[in-house]
Amino acid sequence: MSDTKSDDDKTLSVTPKKTLTLKRPGMEQGTVRQNFSHGRTKSVVVETKKRKFSISGDKPEAAAAAPVFAPKPAPAPAAPAPAVQEAPKAPVERSGMVLSDLSASEIEARRRALEGSKVREVEDRQKAIEDAKRRLEEEERRKRERDESARRQADEEARLLAEAESRRRAEEEARRRSPAADLAGADDEPEAKSKGPVRGAPIKRIATPEVARPTKTKGEEDRRRGKLTLSTATAGEEARARSLSSMRRRQEKFKRAMHSEPREKVMREVILPETITVQELASRMSERAVDVVKYFMKEGQILKPGDVIDADTAELVAVEFGHTVRRIAESDIEEGMFNVEDNAEDLKPRPPVVTIMGHVDHGKTSLLDAIRNANVVSGEAGGITQHIGAYQVDKDGQKITFIDTPGHAAFTAMRARGAQATDIAILVVAADDSVMPQTIESISHAKAAGVPIIVAINKIDKPQADAQKVRAELLRHEVFVESMGGEVLDVEVSATKGTNLDKLLEAILLQAELLDLKANPDRTAEGVVIEAKLDKGRGAVATILVQTGTLMIGDIIVAGAEWGRVRALINDRGEQLKEAPPATPVEVLGLAGTPLAGERFAVVDNEARAREITDYRQRLARDKAVAKHAGQRGSLEQMMSQLQASGLKEFPLVIKGDVQGSIEAIVAALDKLGTDEVRARIVHAGAGGITESDVSLAETSGAALIGFNVRANPQARSAAEAAGIEIRYYNIIYNLVDDVKAAMSGLLSPERRETFIGNAEILEIFDITKVGKIAGCRVTEGKVERGAGVRLIRDDVVIHEGTLKTLKRFKDEVAEVPGGQECGMAFANYEDMRVGDIIECFRVEMITRSL
């Protein structure tokens, strides 16, 4: 309980104890139900704050207000309140708090806040008045402009009507003065009177203030009304006048209609590619596509703007429309990409590019392994190189770029690519094995590419090594080494012992010095794609060799039918590079797809040109594929007749490999397995792991699914199990080719082999009731077996071929009858037998064939 006592009325006011709540004092609470869309509602608590006091002038009216929480407020004191500048002397309660409890600084701060709010209210009120005045002035200006525009329009229409009337009167006057009008007589007078006033009569002026304007529909009026503003809303139903631009357009249209002036035709030089759409042709001629379509319709062709026409047709259309034509080929977009001439002063020395070639298992990769002091062979399945590897080593401060190629016969194309991208070829020949088939192939590739050869006679540490025999056999293939009086350098090395490796590197540098290898590093890069693969985490990865220029991160490159922006350059040691100078092998990340190995790449200026070039190359590849398939397939009837005539069987395959080069080698090896009766049909071959789409493709086409150094993801494995498709994995190309060969052998029809058993001569024919005709025979040669095939021969002509129904010796059924004995024979379903006929007995065997 708290007691307060006043000196005037000595009354006691009792204040009840207040409950502690989070509700603000002086607030009233209520609930409001809000409605939302979809029928949802929500109850919201709303607080209403009571107004405590308001300051009017310098007197705070609520200074003596009763406490908010008192049961009955006390009357306000009659004494005048002090000025605002002075602090209130009497205790005043505000929002449940006594002002006397505040300090002087707080009171002063509140006073300043009140004064600031008053000033802001005055400024806001003044600003609102100024805005209203400005809006009114703007509306007045717009109204004046509309009135002026309407007046100008009325004057112009009146002027046009007056000009039309004057022209009509002049024409009437000219007709009256003509002799034909005089001869017409009085019959034409009423018509003349009706047409215009009599000559000499005063001309009546046409009133021009009010011009009848066409009424507009409500929809048109709403469209022309524009933005709704306060003035337009309060202006009533007054229609908006035309704008000045609309009036000008209307006058220009009227003049063109009156005078019908033809527009001046612009003659253009139209550049025509090999194919072009009707719409594109029209835009290049600056004609409307509708006019071009109409021209085709007149010529009897119904074409749409999106239809494609050839260059000859487009030239005829352009000439018909009055334009000149310049024909270009689509391949012109590739001009300037490759073989850009460099100035001699810009060329600088570059490292040599060396390719290691030779027969399989002669130690090529082991030799490179010894040079690099790394272990490369262990990473290849079966110790056989199945990819092209590109590496760079340092010898006495001079760099040498090595390209390691496979030696297996299936990798002929990859070996040829390695020879084309190289400066020097190292021919590795095992001293214990001498010259082998792939060695001869390597010599051919090097000579075709025109690169010098250095012979490395490997494995000289073996007891059976014979280097002199190798040199002698190389003479047969026109490789003349220095020790035999030729110019080809030869070095005896041992990859396992590290013997004479320095001599080999010195020979390479000596040969490079003779070649004087130079390139311009200060230009856009060009080079060749050595290998390409699809990496799960990094996307398409291409191993490239920069041949000229410098490749930098951010460059836009085009490689075959793929393009992309270089995101990263990685060397053979896995290090990130910012740029790749000439003769540097790097892995490039950022291509949209995997280019074919052996494709050339070049840097282009922008993405638009890159897309244009790749689109052209992809379209070219599609057209070639379509033409190839069309030539092979023809119509469905032709295809079926060819299959029936040839009996060709196909073994469909879906092949996925780790890199593009391996896939090429596999496809080439499988093509060689084909014969006239059976061949492998590659439904799809691509780089990357096995996916669900590969499984569905194999299921649809009934193909076998093969993975070379790749695996199927979990989804693909589940789909393969559900479809009952076996996925075969390989990491050595020999095993893959052998398995496919065995499977294709199963498609071969077995060979029919016939073995002669014996002959018998018919001596007598017996006709037995319920049995038929029985031939009494004597076996003249060999023997006769039951169940064997028989032929009836009459006058050396085969009359019937079938099987024996019965073979009897006397009355007993026997399995065979030897030569010189007599027997009874009856044919199954045949009885036209005569005395003297010969019965030939033979056995047929089906022999399984293999490729």
Side-chain angles (χ1 to χ4, degrees):
M1 299 288 289
S2 64
D3 299 342
T4 59
K5 190 174 287 187
S6 175
D7 295 336
D8 298 333
D9 51 4
K10 307 293 184 184
T11 60
L12 183 68
S13 65
V14 179
T15 303
K17 185 179 286 186
K18 199 172 180 183
T19 308
L20 292 175
T21 63
L22 290 176
K23 184 175 74 172
R24 296 180 180 177
M27 295 284 186
E28 290 184 0
Q29 288 188 348
T31 59
V32 174
R33 182 170 294 276
Q34 288 183 329
N35 293 322
F36 298 96
S37 61
H38 309 294
R40 296 186 291 111
T41 60
K42 180 181 178 182
S43 296
V44 181
V45 178
V46 179
E47 293 183 348
T48 306
K49 184 176 180 181
K50 289 186 177 180
R51 189 176 182 84
K52 299 302 186 301
F53 61 88
S54 63
I55 299 174
S56 176
D58 295 337
K59 296 180 181 181
E61 296 176 356
V68 179
F69 49 82
K72 291 183 179 180
V84 176
Q85 288 78 7
E86 301 175 3
K89 296 177 182 178
V92 180
E93 294 183 3
R94 180 181 299 168
S95 300
M97 181 175 63
V98 182
L99 282 177
S100 60
D101 296 340
L102 300 174
S103 64
S105 62
E106 292 176 341
I107 294 174
E108 182 64 21
R110 294 197 175 193
R111 181 186 64 75
R112 284 199 300 270
L114 290 172
E115 287 180 352
S117 65
K118 284 177 62 180
V119 172
R120 281 195 298 274
E121 284 182 5
V122 172
E123 289 176 354
D124 292 344
R125 193 178 299 112
Q126 187 67 24
K127 187 176 180 182
I129 293 171
E130 291 176 358
D131 290 343
K133 286 182 179 179
R134 192 162 53 251
R135 283 196 297 272
L136 289 174
E137 290 174 359
E138 182 69 19
E139 293 301 327
E140 287 294 331
R141 183 182 63 79
R142 290 181 181 174
K143 188 174 181 182
R144 285 197 300 273
E145 289 179 356
R146 287 198 297 271
D147 294 343
E148 180 69 18
S149 175
R151 186 182 62 77
R152 287 178 184 174
Q153 181 182 2
D155 293 345
E156 182 67 21
E157 291 181 353
R159 184 180 64 79
L160 293 175
L161 287 173
E163 288 178 357
E165 183 65 23
S166 65
R167 281 197 300 273
R168 189 182 63 78
R169 285 199 299 272
E171 291 172 358
E172 181 69 24
E173 188 67 24
R175 280 199 302 272
R176 279 207 189 107
R177 290 180 180 180
S178 64
D182 296 337
L183 293 174
D187 295 336
D188 292 340
E189 289 180 3
E191 184 180 357
K193 288 180 182 178
S194 64
K195 283 186 179 180
V198 183
R199 183 182 177 186
I203 298 173
K204 292 183 67 178
R205 298 285 181 185
I206 300 173
T208 59
E210 293 295 332
V211 178
R213 298 175 63 187
T215 60
K216 300 174 183 176
T217 61
K218 188 175 184 301
E220 183 182 359
E221 183 67 31
D222 291 341
R223 275 199 310 273
R224 293 188 175 274
R225 181 170 294 161
K227 187 177 180 182
L228 181 64
T229 59
L230 183 62
S231 60
T232 54
T234 56
E237 295 299 325
E238 182 180 356
R240 181 181 173 184
R242 280 179 174 269
S243 65
L244 293 176
S245 300
S246 175
M247 290 295 298
R248 289 195 193 98
R249 287 195 299 270
R250 184 174 179 181
Q251 290 172 9
E252 289 294 330
K253 185 177 179 182
F254 182 76
K255 286 179 183 178
R256 286 198 301 270
M258 290 293 294
H259 300 289
S260 65
E261 297 176 357
R263 293 185 178 179
E264 184 179 356
K265 188 175 181 65
V266 180
M267 302 302 173
R268 298 182 180 275
E269 184 186 36
V270 182
I271 298 174
L272 294 179
E274 295 174 1
T275 57
I276 190 172
T277 63
V278 175
Q279 180 69 52
E280 180 65 21
L281 176 63
S283 63
R284 292 189 183 189
M285 295 190 303
S286 296
E287 305 282 353
R288 297 191 308 164
V290 177
D291 297 336
V292 181
V293 171
K294 286 181 181 177
Y295 171 77
F296 279 113
M297 292 177 69
K298 289 179 183 177
E299 297 297 324
Q301 285 183 290
I302 306 299
L303 293 178
K304 301 187 294 297
D307 289 342
V308 179
I309 57 176
D310 59 3
D312 294 335
T313 307
E315 184 175 358
L316 290 174
V317 174
V319 171
E320 185 69 26
F321 277 82
H323 302 284
T324 57
V325 172
R326 181 159 64 91
R327 298 277 289 269
I328 61 169
E330 273 191 303
S331 57
D332 293 344
I333 62 175
E334 295 184 351
E335 286 184 358
M337 277 185 64
F338 301 108
N339 304 323
V340 180
E341 292 292 333
D342 293 317
N343 296 325
E345 58 270 14
D346 296 334
L347 299 178
K348 296 178 183 178
R350 65 168 177 84
V353 179
V354 180
T355 298
I356 299 181
M357 309 173 78
H359 190 71
V360 62
D361 204 25
H362 273 204
K364 299 181 299 297
T365 308
S366 300
L367 184 62
L368 182 58
D369 176 21
I371 294 173
R372 294 178 61 228
N373 294 322
N375 191 5
V376 179
V377 175
S378 60
E380 296 284 355
I384 303 164
T385 302
Q386 309 191 77
H387 312 123
I388 289 183
Y391 315 98
Q392 201 167 44
V393 300
D394 203 314
K395 168 66 175 171
D396 298 333
Q398 293 180 284
K399 291 184 177 179
I400 304 173
T401 299
F402 284 95
I403 298 177
D404 182 21
T405 61
H408 184 252
F411 295 94
T412 304
M414 295 172 71
R415 199 160 49 247
R417 277 200 297 274
Q420 290 167 4
T422 191
D423 303 315
I424 302 168
I426 294 183
L427 184 64
V428 179
V429 186
D432 61 339
D433 208 8
S434 194
V435 176
M436 299 297 285
Q438 272 72 60
T439 312
I440 300 169
E441 270 190 20
S442 300
I443 294 171
S444 303
H445 291 319
K447 287 185 176 180
V451 296
I453 298 174
I454 297 175
V455 178
I457 303 174
N458 196 18
K459 303 184 181 180
I460 60 168
D461 56 316
K462 288 196 172 184
Q464 61 270 33
D466 188 355
Q468 201 61 30
K469 179 186 175 185
V470 173
R471 294 186 180 96
E473 290 196 7
L474 287 173
L475 288 175
R476 297 167 53 192
H477 303 286
E478 299 181 357
V479 178
F480 306 106
V481 298
E482 279 187 337
S483 59
M484 306 287 285
E487 297 180 354
V488 176
L489 298 175
D490 65 305
V491 183
E492 297 181 6
V493 296
S494 172
T496 55
K497 304 292 184 182
T499 309
N500 292 338
L501 295 182
D502 290 340
K503 287 186 179 180
L504 180 61
L505 295 178
E506 287 171 3
I508 292 171
L509 293 176
L510 176 62
Q511 188 69 54
E513 190 176 346
L514 293 174
L515 294 173
D516 191 21
L517 302 170
K518 290 184 178 181
N520 180 11
D522 303 322
R523 50 158 289 185
T524 56
E526 290 180 21
V528 64
V529 178
I530 296 176
E531 194 52 82
K533 63 181 178 180
L534 200 61
D535 194 287
K536 185 175 182 181
R538 300 184 297 171
V541 180
T543 303
I544 65 170
L545 176 68
V546 181
Q547 293 177 315
T548 183
T550 301
L551 184 63
M552 301 183 182
I553 292 177
D555 285 347
I556 300 170
I557 66 172
V558 175
E562 304 293 341
W563 74 276
R565 189 181 292 273
V566 178
R567 290 193 286 110
L569 297 172
I570 303 168
N571 64 8
D572 57 310
R573 292 181 293 278
E575 300 169 351
Q576 294 261 0
L577 302 179
K578 291 186 178 178
E579 58 182 32
T584 304
V586 287
E587 282 188 340
V588 172
L589 275 64
L591 288 172
T594 55
L596 295 176
E599 295 275 9
R600 297 183 67 187
F601 79 87
V603 175
V604 295
D605 300 331
N606 49 48
E607 293 185 5
R609 182 149 191 250
R611 285 196 190 92
E612 192 176 6
I613 293 170
T614 52
D615 288 347
Y616 162 69
R617 290 181 173 179
Q618 288 171 2
R619 187 166 61 252
L620 207 63
R622 282 197 301 269
D623 293 345
K624 284 183 180 178
V626 169
K628 180 181 178 183
H629 289 306
Q632 290 176 350
R633 183 174 63 245
S635 66
L636 186 63
E637 292 81 2
Q638 292 172 353
M639 183 178 68
M640 295 303 293
S641 62
Q642 286 173 4
L643 286 175
Q644 289 174 0
S646 63
L648 182 65
K649 295 180 181 178
E650 291 184 337
F651 185 64
L653 290 168
V654 175
I655 302 172
K656 294 301 288 288
D658 53 346
V659 293
Q660 198 71 35
S662 300
I663 294 165
E664 281 185 23
I666 292 168
V667 172
L670 295 180
D671 282 343
K672 291 180 181 178
L673 294 178
T675 64
D676 295 338
E677 296 182 46
V678 63
R679 68 180 178 89
R681 180 169 65 91
I682 311 300
V683 178
H684 172 67
I690 298 172
T691 61
E692 284 184 276
S693 60
D694 298 324
V695 175
S696 60
L697 179 62
E699 182 182 7
T700 305
S701 57
L705 191 53
I706 292 176
F708 185 76
N709 279 338
V710 294
R711 291 294 180 268
N713 57 31
Q715 294 83 1
R717 286 198 298 270
S718 302
E721 290 175 4
I725 294 174
E726 181 189 6
I727 303 176
R728 303 292 293 270
Y729 298 112
Y730 298 93
N731 57 1
I732 297 177
I733 194 170
Y734 303 131
N735 301 338
L736 187 151
V737 174
D738 291 343
D739 284 3
V740 174
K741 184 177 180 181
M744 290 171 61
S745 299
L747 294 177
L748 290 172
S749 56
E751 183 181 354
R752 186 175 183 271
R753 185 174 298 173
E754 186 176 298
T755 306
F756 173 76
I757 300 177
N759 283 339
E761 183 183 0
I762 300 178
L763 302 177
E764 190 66 43
I765 302 296
F766 302 100
D767 197 353
I768 300 173
T769 309
K770 296 184 181 180
V771 176
K773 288 184 179 181
I774 300 294
C777 308
R778 180 188 290 116
V779 179
T780 58
E781 184 180 358
K783 61 180 180 178
V784 176
E785 294 180 354
R786 187 176 59 187
V790 288
R791 293 189 185 97
L792 183 65
I793 300 173
R794 182 178 301 157
D795 298 330
D796 297 330
V797 177
V798 177
I799 302 299
H800 172 70
E801 182 175 341
T803 58
L804 288 177
K805 180 171 68 174
T806 180
L807 177 63
K808 290 189 176 183
R809 172 109 173 110
F810 300 108
K811 293 186 178 181
D812 299 329
E813 195 79 30
V814 293
E816 63 178 36
V817 177
Q821 295 186 3
E822 295 183 353
C823 62
M825 289 189 284
F827 288 92
N829 303 321
Y830 188 78
E831 293 187 347
D832 185 16
M833 297 174 289
R834 299 179 186 174
V835 176
D837 291 349
I838 304 297
I839 297 174
E840 183 185 62
C841 187
F842 61 91
R843 185 186 302 117
V844 176
E845 295 175 343
M846 304 303 289
I847 308 299
T848 304
R849 298 163 59 203
S850 62
L851 290 172

